[in-house]
């Protein structure tokens, strides 16, 4: 083979193992050219989505270049939503479903989501999170997990996969070998899971085994150190974890996808190009990129990095070709999966029904509900991790206003509640004088400023109703406490119905 043909062949292989994102609600010319040159996958984010009809047009435009193109999305149907980012998810998230603990319900919710994604032309969903959230201070998983019990997470991971794939969309279990017992957000730094081999086998691995039993054909690696297996390299870059553990011990023979390769946990160590090369060398088959770095230049940089690594001997050509082969095999399987399922209508009801079942009430004055008058609602707003789109609406005030006209509200952020601030007195307590007060929080136990504000409001108003839309802490003040177990639109509606007595 001539040098020129070999170079083109290497470039094609390199393109085929990338899953890049892009900007816009139509496919850019560079993406269409790249598909023609061998790009086998793309991934959609919030910035690519305006409406279901628009997404369907976009995916049809992309598949006109390659009918088997893998079109992925990071859609968990909970706090992490892309397809419903403009409105908030009409389905509860994983923690709510795990708390209800009805596997048929979980399967139905996932099937309903799958119908929506299938109709939009999506073939791979980076979900479910198979992480066991055993650390309540985990800054990046939380309500994205089905819970803290490996048995609960295992059965709901399996149910979710069966439901999603029954609708013609491939699932992807993440973040191997388990991202639930960490205290660092891998978007910004390198977390470490410091458990023993026996603890990992008992706690973190069962949901991934359940995923495989349910027929999952894609697993996403996590950017975290697991010293019991590899003290030097994050899982995404560790052959001991991806080949030794995932493939050889657990017997997985499907597609290994990286978590977003531009995340600080790996790029801080090796740069985005170096991390990509090391990931493929370690056993990753498809590199997810573009959540933050969505430019043509980034894709070109990764192609050049892979081709250059083969030329220098840092990456075996056989390994790159093997990764490309797995991508092709997965693309053919996913396309066949989608062809075998008709485009069915989305029910629109199952998500709200599930969210209602997840609501939990506690406190000494539960008989204070429903509210006797339109309340003033104070929503304490935390900074969220990068997996959660900042523009996705959440809360209780908007759906409550529809049910109790005259409801007023204010949102408060950490920087408005510095020492000496009168914000709460002026904007929370004063407007609530003579009327019910509802305080809405999200992971209050994880945010000291929020816990302090909540304590201040509850001290001034012992009759306040507290709505916790994140992970519930051990205890919280308030005459009544409503836990929704997630901050989706469906969860907000479920809480508003309880407050207004319209449930």
């Amino acid at each position: 083979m001539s040098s020129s043909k070999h170079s083109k062949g290497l470039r094609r292989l390199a393109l085929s193992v990338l899953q890049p994102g892009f900007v816009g609600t139509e496919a850019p010319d560079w993406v269409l050219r790249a598909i023609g040159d061998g790009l086998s996958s793309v991934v959609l984010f919030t910035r690519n989505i305006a409406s279901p009809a628009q997404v369907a047009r976009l995916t049809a435009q992309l598949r006109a270049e390659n009918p088997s193109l893998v079109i992925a999305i990071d859609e968990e149907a909970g706090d992490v939503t892309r397809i419903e980012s403009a409105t908030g998810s009409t389905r509860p998230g994983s923690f709510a479903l795990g708390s209800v603990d009805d596997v048929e319900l979980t399967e139905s919710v996932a099937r309903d989501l799958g119908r929506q994604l299938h109709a939009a032309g999506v073939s791979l969903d980076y979900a479910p999170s198979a992480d066991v959230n055993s650390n309540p201070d985990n800054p990046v998983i939380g309500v994205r997990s089905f819970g803290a019990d490996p048995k609960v997470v295992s059965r709901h991971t399996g149910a979710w996969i069966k439901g999603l794939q029954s609708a013609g969309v491939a699932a992807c279990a993440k973040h191997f070998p388990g991202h639930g017992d960490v205290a660092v957000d891998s978007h910004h730094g390198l977390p470490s899971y410091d458990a023993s081999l026996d603890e990992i086998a008992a706690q973190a691995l069962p949901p991934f085994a359940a995923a495989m039993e349910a027929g999952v054909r894609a697993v996403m690696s996590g950017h975290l150190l697991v010293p019991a297996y590899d003290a030097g390299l994050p899982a995404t870059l560790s052959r001991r974890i991806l080949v030794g553990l995932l493939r050889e011990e657990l017997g997985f023979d499907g597609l290994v996808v990286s978590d977003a390769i531009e995340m600080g946990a790996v790029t801080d160590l090796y740069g985005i190009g170096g991390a990509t090369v090391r990931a493929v060398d370690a056993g990753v088959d498809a590199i997810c990129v573009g959540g933050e770095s969505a430019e043509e230049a980034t894709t070109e940089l990764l192609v050049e990095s892979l081709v250059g690594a083969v030329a220098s001997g840092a990456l075996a050509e056989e390994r790159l070709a093997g990764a490309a082969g797995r991508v092709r095999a997965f693309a053919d399987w996913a396309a066949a999966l989608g062809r075998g399922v008709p485009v069915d209508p989305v029910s629109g009801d199952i998500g709200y029904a599930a969210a209602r079942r997840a609501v939990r009430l506690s406190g000494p004055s539960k008989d204070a509900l429903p509210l006797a008058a339109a309340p003033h609602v104070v929503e304490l707003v935390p900074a969220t991790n990068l997996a959660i789109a900042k523009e996705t609406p959440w809360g209780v005030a908007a759906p409550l206003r529809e049910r109790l006209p005259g409801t007023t509200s204010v949102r408060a952020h950490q920087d408005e509640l510095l020492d000496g601030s009168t914000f709460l007195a002026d904007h929370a307590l004063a407007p609530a004088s003579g009327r019910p007060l509802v305080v809405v929080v999200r992971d209050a136990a994880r945010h000291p400023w929020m816990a302090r504000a909540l304590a201040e409001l509850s001290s001034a108003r012992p009759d306040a109703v507290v709505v916790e839309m994140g992970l519930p802490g051990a205890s919280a003040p308030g005459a009544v406490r409503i836990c929704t177990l997630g901050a989706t639109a469906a969860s907000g509606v479920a809480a508003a119905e309880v407050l207004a007595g319209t449930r």
Side-chain angles (χ1 to χ4, degrees):
M1 182 184 295
S2 70
S3 175
S4 175
K5 286 185 178 180
H6 187 236
S7 295
K8 288 182 179 178
L10 283 180
R11 175 179 170 79
R12 193 169 188 86
L13 288 177
L15 269 172
S16 72
V17 303
L18 301 181
Q19 292 190 344
F22 55 88
V23 176
T25 54
E26 296 183 0
D29 289 343
W30 72 265
V31 171
L32 300 177
R33 288 196 305 271
I35 295 171
D37 291 341
L39 185 69
S40 299
S41 315
V42 296
V43 57
L44 304 181
F45 291 96
T46 297
R47 59 177 176 252
N48 305 120
I49 296 168
S51 69
Q54 169 268 321
V55 178
R57 291 193 298 271
L58 171 60
T59 57
Q61 181 190 17
L62 291 163
R63 288 223 172 85
E65 304 296 322
N66 175 6
S68 295
L69 184 75
V70 175
I71 300 179
I73 195 169
D74 188 11
E75 173 59 59
E76 298 176 13
D79 289 23
V80 177
T81 181
R82 313 301 179 204
I83 201 72
E84 295 185 304
S85 59
T87 58
S89 177
T90 54
R91 305 169 184 92
S94 295
F95 186 69
L97 292 171
S99 298
V100 174
D101 200 11
D102 179 343
V103 292
E104 292 183 358
L105 179 66
T106 295
E107 186 171 341
S108 295
V109 170
R111 183 180 298 112
D112 195 53
L113 171 67
R115 288 173 177 149
Q116 185 177 20
L117 297 180
H118 184 233
V122 172
S123 55
L124 170 62
D125 186 11
Y126 295 150
S129 168
D131 307 297
V132 179
N133 196 64
S134 49
N135 183 353
D137 291 327
N138 192 320
V140 70
I141 301 300
V143 294
R144 300 168 64 193
S145 165
F146 289 109
D149 182 337
K151 292 180 181 178
V152 171
V153 177
S154 295
R155 57 178 172 260
H156 288 277
T157 293
W160 177 276
I161 289 165
K162 290 176 183 177
L164 188 74
Q165 295 191 164
S166 72
V169 177
C172 178
K174 63 186 183 185
H175 308 78
F176 189 81
H179 213 299
D181 191 9
V182 301
V184 173
D185 184 346
S186 51
H187 290 91
H188 307 296
L190 179 60
S192 184
Y193 177 26
D194 299 318
S196 68
L197 292 177
D198 288 344
E199 289 169 334
I200 294 168
Q203 180 189 63
L205 297 183
F208 291 97
M212 294 172 209
E213 291 173 9
V216 80
R217 296 285 292 270
V219 168
M220 178 177 281
S221 64
H223 298 333
L224 70 161
L225 273 180
V226 189
Y229 283 97
D230 192 327
L233 291 170
T236 297
L237 312 183
S238 172
R239 190 170 183 82
R240 295 177 190 173
I241 292 174
L242 298 184
V243 176
L245 175 58
L246 179 58
R247 296 223 184 270
E248 295 175 358
E249 289 189 36
L250 298 183
F252 181 67
D253 193 39
L255 185 75
V256 176
V257 183
S258 77
D259 204 347
I261 204 67
E262 65 263 49
M263 289 165 63
V266 290
T267 58
D268 288 351
L269 296 171
Y270 301 108
I272 192 169
T276 295
V277 170
R278 285 167 171 79
V280 174
D281 186 52
V284 169
D285 304 308
I287 300 292
C288 174
V289 64
E292 299 172 73
S293 303
E295 307 81 11
E296 178 182 9
T298 299
T299 295
E300 284 301 314
L301 170 63
L302 300 192
V303 169
E304 291 170 6
S305 297
L306 290 166
V307 170
V310 171
S312 70
L315 175 65
E317 185 172 345
E318 293 78 8
R319 168 78 273 270
L320 182 60
R326 275 208 172 91
V327 172
R328 285 195 301 274
F330 178 85
D332 291 342
W333 173 80
L337 180 70
R339 284 194 298 270
V341 177
V343 176
D344 292 327
V346 178
S347 76
D349 297 325
I350 185 66
Y352 287 100
R356 292 182 186 107
R357 289 182 61 184
V359 170
R360 302 289 184 266
L361 292 179
S362 62
S365 303
K366 289 189 287 184
D367 57 355
L369 295 179
L371 299 175
H376 183 59
V377 180
V378 180
E379 296 180 330
L380 302 178
V381 183
T384 56
N385 64 66
L386 289 176
I388 300 171
K390 289 187 291 186
E391 60 268 38
T392 301
W394 69 278
V396 173
L400 187 56
R401 193 173 292 114
E402 295 177 6
R403 289 156 180 82
L404 288 178
T407 294
T408 56
S409 64
V410 66
R411 298 202 123 195
H413 300 77
Q414 181 177 6
D415 58 3
E416 294 168 319
L417 303 179
L418 302 175
D419 289 345
S421 169
T422 62
F423 187 95
L424 292 180
D426 296 340
H427 299 283
L429 294 172
S433 179
R435 57 195 299 203
L437 174 65
V438 176
V439 184
V440 183
V441 296
R442 188 173 181 179
D443 293 323
R446 286 196 52 249
H447 300 286
W449 71 269
M450 190 181 296
R452 289 193 298 271
L454 176 58
E456 180 180 339
L457 291 170
S458 297
S459 176
R461 287 289 302 268
D463 62 332
V465 177
V466 176
V467 181
E468 169 59 86
M469 301 195 76
L471 281 180
S475 62
V480 185
R481 188 182 186 202
I482 302 173
C483 294
T484 61
L485 312 181
T488 71
S491 300
V493 167
E497 289 173 344
V498 172
L499 290 163
T502 58
R503 181 171 175 174

